[in-house]
Amino acid sequence: MATMTAGTSAAPIPFLDLVAQHRGLENQLVEAFRRAVQGARFINGPEVIGFEQEFATFVGAGGCVGVSSGTDALRFALGALGLRPGDEVITTPHTFIATTEAVTQAGGTLRFVDVDERTMTIDPKLIASAVTPRTVGILPVHLYGHPADMDPILGLARKKGLWVLEDACQAHGAKYRGRQVGAIGDLAAFSFYPGKNLGACGDAGAVTGGKAELLDVVRRLREHGQGQKYYHDTEGYTGRLDAIQAAFLRIKLPHLAGWIDGRRRAASWYGEALAGIAGVQTPQEAEWANHVYHLYVIRVDHRADLQEHLGRLGIGTGLHYPLPLHLQRAYVHLGFKRGTFPVAERTSDRLLSLPMFAELTEGDVARVADAIRSFYR
Ligand SMILES: *Cc1c(COP(=O)(O)O)cnc(C)c1O
């Protein structure tokens, strides 16, 4: 009988397998590239406009503006929302640093609040007490593909006259009470970094929303503040969506819903296979949420040893994110101490991201689960 020991011939299970995703699409991607080279419309043009329309339709948002990354999407959205130096923005320390860079590099001030233990997204109960007279907006992050609890956030924002910008960079297609993220707040930022649920073959991003006047400002900011060529209403940036990336994204977008189904299927296999292992907490999906599992993040005891054990068995894992932002060296000047945001800190100490992609098989998931079970035995 074959035994499960380190060094068996079982193929490695990577953390993410973009090669598998591209296998069936390669001809179409190469063909799109050829068309783009032959057409030589590399800046703006029909591929960009086509993708913007198709992605707005997918999200169910009034409009979409393609930009060069998720970080630029956040930056230009904050510009459109009128962020000024000294303005305070409420967000959580349990996210990727792009969320907060966009705020501080525009001169904004971060007001962190802790995350909810169950969803690992911003805890809406803690937001009201973080609002000051200088607060201008709330920036919830739909982390890992699980939406933040938006209704209380929107209710508070309305009451206090704040805007809401969704960081949807990990949550393409996720739903909150039946509404798709990206069409809930005033604006939303998406990333098409290759590893995201919808990824380009390079950097790309988009801003979505229902307010045409805000999207118009984003459109100007991505192109040097110009409404009309060489007439500049403001200064802006070089932050357009590359036409070749738009062409690639148009090939992938029709597959996104199926890929999300694949991720949700893998998550349910994991949920069953990992049930009842003491020391392992699997991710929860709130009753109002449709999770798209950009990452499948469990919380565990003895993480470093488990990660090493899985690595030895050829199973790829990741840490998203090992140190909350308020404890990063980049933010020492903010003066936060350990203990300030206990849920974020406890979560960061215990989290472990398991392999997650649409092509993962039930056998792969069973092998990962067996490897975890064998570690705790
Ligand atoms: C990926 C990501 C971003 C930034 O997107 P880029 O396209 O890499 O600039 C912002 N916020 C979150 C939560 C992300 O995961």
Side-chain angles (χ1 to χ4, degrees):
M1 192 189 108
T3 50
M4 276 273 306
T5 54
T8 54
S9 56
I13 303 175
F15 176 64
L16 170 68
D17 193 350
L18 283 178
V19 174
Q21 184 189 84
H22 290 163
R23 207 164 280 136
L25 298 175
E26 189 175 313
N27 287 340
Q28 280 175 280
L29 292 170
V30 170
E31 193 42 49
F33 182 67
R34 194 189 309 280
R35 261 200 323 276
V37 171
Q38 287 169 350
R41 295 284 303 273
F42 300 120
I43 301 296
N44 301 332
E47 297 286 1
V48 172
I49 293 166
F51 175 71
E52 288 175 342
Q53 287 167 350
E54 288 153 15
F55 193 65
T57 301
F58 174 83
V59 168
C64 167
V65 181
V67 298
S68 54
S69 68
T71 307
D72 272 355
L74 288 163
R75 293 165 65 202
F76 301 163
L78 289 169
L81 292 164
L83 184 72
R84 297 222 150 57
D87 289 348
E88 290 178 2
V89 176
I90 296 173
T91 191
T92 93
H94 185 54
T95 179
F96 179 57
I97 195 169
T99 312
T100 54
E101 284 172 332
V103 173
T104 55
Q105 290 172 356
T109 301
L110 297 168
R111 294 284 299 182
F112 284 133
V113 306
D114 210 344
V115 289
D116 171 72
E117 173 82 42
R118 187 169 62 133
T119 66
M120 298 183 269
T121 62
I122 194 165
D123 186 340
K125 294 188 301 298
L126 304 176
I127 299 177
S129 59
V131 175
T132 78
R134 312 196 69 163
T135 307
V136 294
I138 308 172
L139 177 34
V141 184
H142 305 306
L143 198 71
Y144 307 147
H146 191 293
D149 189 1
M150 294 302 287
D151 277 347
I153 295 171
L154 295 170
L156 184 74
R158 213 171 296 120
K159 205 167 87 190
K160 305 270 185 183
L162 311 174
W163 47 252
V164 175
L165 168 58
E166 301 172 66
D167 183 337
C169 286
Q170 299 191 1
H172 323 65
K175 292 197 185 89
Y176 175 75
R177 298 191 190 280
R179 278 173 290 162
Q180 200 150 308
V181 306
I184 301 175
D186 294 283
L187 286 175
F190 285 91
S191 166
F192 307 118
Y193 179 85
K196 299 290 164 84
N197 285 16
L198 176 63
C201 303
D203 280 311
V207 178
T208 60
K211 294 183 177 146
E213 62 284 6
L214 294 179
L215 292 173
D216 281 343
V217 181
V218 172
R219 203 169 281 114
R220 287 202 297 274
L221 285 174
R222 76 174 172 183
E223 193 146 35
H224 301 288
Q226 63 186 21
Q228 201 187 332
K229 201 162 174 83
Y230 304 134
Y231 291 86
H232 306 273
D233 302 328
T234 62
E235 288 189 339
Y237 305 88
T238 304
R240 294 167 295 243
L241 171 61
D242 184 296
I244 293 177
Q245 298 305 335
F248 293 148
L249 287 165
R250 292 183 82 187
I251 288 167
K252 290 192 176 189
L253 179 58
H255 298 278
L256 178 55
W259 289 335
I260 291 171
D261 290 344
R263 286 172 180 274
R264 288 181 57 81
R265 197 164 52 232
S268 78
W269 290 330
Y270 271 130
E272 283 169 32
L274 295 171
I277 305 180
V280 175
Q281 186 184 350
T282 54
Q284 301 296 304
E285 181 179 50
E287 57 290 353
W288 38 259
N290 208 269
H291 197 329
V292 292
Y293 296 98
H294 169 55
L295 295 166
Y296 189 85
V297 179
I298 60 175
R299 281 170 277 186
V300 299
D301 299 333
H302 312 292
R303 176 177 67 191
D305 292 340
L306 173 62
Q307 196 174 20
E308 201 191 304
H309 171 79
L310 295 177
R312 259 188 274 114
L313 294 171
I315 295 167
T317 55
L319 302 180
H320 304 88
Y321 298 90
L323 188 65
L325 293 179
H326 67 287
L327 301 177
Q328 295 279 351
R329 257 169 65 192
Y331 292 127
V332 273
H333 58 280
L334 301 179
F336 288 110
K337 298 273 176 302
R338 198 167 264 279
T340 315
F341 303 108
V343 183
E345 291 165 20
R346 195 160 58 240
T347 301
S348 292
D349 289 343
R350 299 187 65 232
L351 53 76
L352 181 69
S353 305
L354 299 181
M356 174 50 82
F357 45 92
E359 297 79 9
L360 213 55
T361 67
E362 191 165 12
D364 294 334
V365 170
R367 259 180 64 206
V368 175
D370 285 348
I372 293 173
R373 205 174 282 282
S374 72
F375 172 79
Y376 286 103
R377 220 166 8 233

